[in-house]
């Protein structure tokens, strides 16, 4: 390489760094930066690659998850975490963000007769609640299909009622920025495996905490069974696939559990975000990608909840769940996901070649020339990487 080329690149980098803006996301193979390299959303300890806890007394030792977090719902204090900002495929836990975005926009008593167009484009292998074209459903019933059966057909019908899948994806991205969930990049509203669709244990916990403040969200995620239209005036019963809520598949129902959402794809593995109340205190837990056992995600979540309740309210926090923008979480726009993934303008199915990997969860604020320069650099890097292929069967 000639000296002039080196100088040109150095000048370009210096110009980009002269504007206050966080660096682009690291590649999938890069380790999370050590504490002290920059501000980390929720606290520097949440960027570390080792277990973080105020006290390790009684902490479960056989946790196989690639990422996890347990926090106090009321205070927002993170009690313990492991790679909290690591970007991983979220599977159906992303439906919490879908609900955060759309739940209050459509009246629960509203009715909609489903068309074939509403059901077009649902990925093969999706989990379905059993919606039929030509049948009329209430908005309430469609949300039951989302929360209880993780039905991608219900998600797509609601997305079309909201103006379309592409519009819904754009609004979910905006909602994630509002919640300061900067590890998350949305490609589809249902959480199915798509290139570049990622989130983190930290962000999923933000989605759950925000959702549980809404009585409707809270009611849906704790519902165990419901009668669902089968057409012709008939109904069939649907059951919640959250095994800690229902106490099925060899697991006992977790005492005090109030939801929230589980998920599975062959690419994401098992994911779960839950909330439980004991003695007037509510804890949140997120577990992502544990061992292959289908029950492991629930067993590890239950063990972390047990530990959190045993620690009591005096537990020393290792970080905090930030508040949304405008609610004590700062003002002004925040850009998406530290430069990871396609722009918010791209629609459904337009995922970039972004492999899931660790993230520092940095708050990003940038504009002008640096955005253009860093975006160009990210484009060049993506050109060198092989695209991540969508794959796998869907989940519970």
């Amino acid at each position: 390489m000639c000296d002039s080329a080196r100088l040109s690149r150095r000048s370009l980098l210096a110009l980009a760094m002269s504007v206050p803006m966080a660096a682009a996301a690291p590649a999938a193979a890069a380790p999370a930066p050590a504490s002290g390299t920059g501000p980390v959303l929720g606290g520097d300890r949440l960027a570390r690659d080792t277990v973080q806890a105020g006290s390790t007394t009684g902490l479960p030792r056989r946790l196989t998850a690639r990422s996890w977090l347990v926090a106090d719902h009321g205070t927002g204090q993170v009690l313990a975490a492991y790679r909290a900002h690591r970007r991983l495929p979220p599977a159906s836990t992303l439906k919490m963000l879908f609900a955060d975005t759309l739940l209050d926009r459509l009246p629960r008593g509203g009715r909609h007769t489903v068309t074939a167009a509403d059901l077009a484009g649902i990925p093969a292998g999706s989990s379905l609640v059993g919606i039929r074209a030509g049948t009329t459903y209430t908005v309430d019933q469609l949300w039951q299909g989302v929360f209880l059966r993780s039905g991608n057909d219900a998600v797509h019908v609601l997305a079309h009622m909201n103006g379309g899948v592409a519009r819904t994806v754009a609004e979910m991205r905006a909602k994630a920025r509002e919640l300061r969930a900067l590890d998350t990049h949305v490609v589809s509203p249902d959480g199915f495996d798509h290139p570049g669709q990622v989130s983190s244990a930290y962000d999923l916990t933000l989605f759950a905490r925000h959702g549980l403040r809404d009585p409707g969200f809270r009611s849906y995620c704790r519902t165990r069974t419901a009668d669902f239209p089968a057409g012709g005036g008939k109904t069939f019963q649907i059951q919640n696939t959250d095994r800690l809520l229902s106490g099925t598949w060899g697991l006992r129902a977790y005492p005090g559990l109030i939801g929230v959402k589980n998920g599975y794809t062959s690419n994401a593995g098992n994911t779960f975000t839950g909330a439980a109340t004991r003695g007037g205190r509510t804890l949140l837990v997120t577990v992502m990608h544990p061992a292959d056992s289908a029950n492991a995600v629930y067993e590890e979540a239950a063990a972390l909840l047990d530990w959190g309740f045993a620690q009591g309210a005096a537990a020393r926090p290792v970080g905090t769940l930030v508040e949304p923008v405008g609610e004590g979480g700062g003002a002004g726009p925040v850009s998406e996901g530290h430069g990871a993934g396609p722009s918010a303008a791209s629609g459904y199915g337009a995922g970039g070649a972004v492999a899931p990997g660790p993230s520092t969860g940095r708050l990003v604020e940038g504009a002008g020339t640096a955005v253009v320069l860093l975006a160009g650099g990210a484009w060049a890097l993506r050109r060198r990487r092989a695209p991540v292929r969508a794959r796998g069967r869907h989940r519970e």
Side-chain angles (χ1 to χ4, degrees), residues 59-65 300:
L59 192 69
R61 294 185 177 181
R62 295 185 178 181
L63 296 172
T64 64
E300 296 186 15

Side-chain angles (χ1 to χ4, degrees), residues 12-36:
L12 185 65
L13 180 59
L15 180 60
M17 294 181 67
S18 67
V19 179
M21 182 174 179
S35 176

Side-chain angles (χ1 to χ4, degrees), residues 23-207:
S35 176
T37 61
V40 175
L41 204 60
D44 286 350
R45 293 182 67 176
L46 301 184
R48 298 178 186 174
D49 272 341
T50 56
V51 171
Q52 301 298 307
S55 170
T56 58
T57 302
L59 192 69
R61 294 185 177 181
R62 295 185 178 181
L63 296 172
T64 64
R66 296 173 66 189
S67 175
W68 55 262
L69 180 149
V70 58
D72 187 294
H73 176 272
T75 65
Q77 293 179 341
V78 177
L79 307 182
Y82 175 63
R83 295 180 173 177
H85 283 294
R86 181 169 184 163
R87 292 176 183 163
L88 297 166
S92 274
T93 47
L94 193 66
K95 287 183 171 74
M96 293 186 294
L97 176 61
F98 177 74
D100 286 341
T101 305
L102 296 191
L103 195 58
D104 293 333
R105 297 190 181 184
L106 302 170
R108 293 178 66 169
R111 301 174 67 84
H112 178 73
T113 301
V114 174
T115 67
D118 293 334
L119 301 174
I122 298 174
S126 288
S127 55
L128 304 171
V129 66
I131 291 175
R132 298 181 179 182
T135 300
T136 300
Y137 303 85
T138 66
V139 171
D140 184 56
Q141 290 164 339
L142 293 172
W143 280 116
Q144 289 172 349
V146 172
F147 277 89
L148 274 67
R149 297 301 302 176
S150 208
N152 283 4
D153 45 358
V155 169
H156 279 250
V157 171
L158 287 165
H160 279 284
M161 293 173 66
N162 184 55
V165 171
R167 175 177 175 174
T168 300
V169 166
E171 290 174 349
M172 288 174 67
R173 292 176 177 178
K175 188 67 174 181
R177 293 193 296 272
E178 176 190 325
L179 298 178
R180 301 170 74 192
L182 303 183
D183 300 320
T184 298
H185 181 70
V186 181
V187 178
S188 71
D190 47 40
F192 197 82
D193 290 337
H194 288 282
Q197 182 146 273
V198 291
S199 190
S200 67
Y202 187 88
D203 284 9
L204 294 176
T205 310
L206 289 180
F207 301 152

Side-chain angles (χ1 to χ4, degrees), residues 16 19 21 335 365-377:
V19 179
M21 182 174 179
S335 67
E365 292 183 353
T369 305
V371 173
V372 177
L373 295 177
L374 291 177

Side-chain angles (χ1 to χ4, degrees), residues 1-12:
M1 183 185 298
C2 66
D3 290 341
S4 61
R6 289 193 182 97
L7 289 173
S8 176
R9 293 188 181 183
R10 289 171 184 166
S11 300
L12 185 65

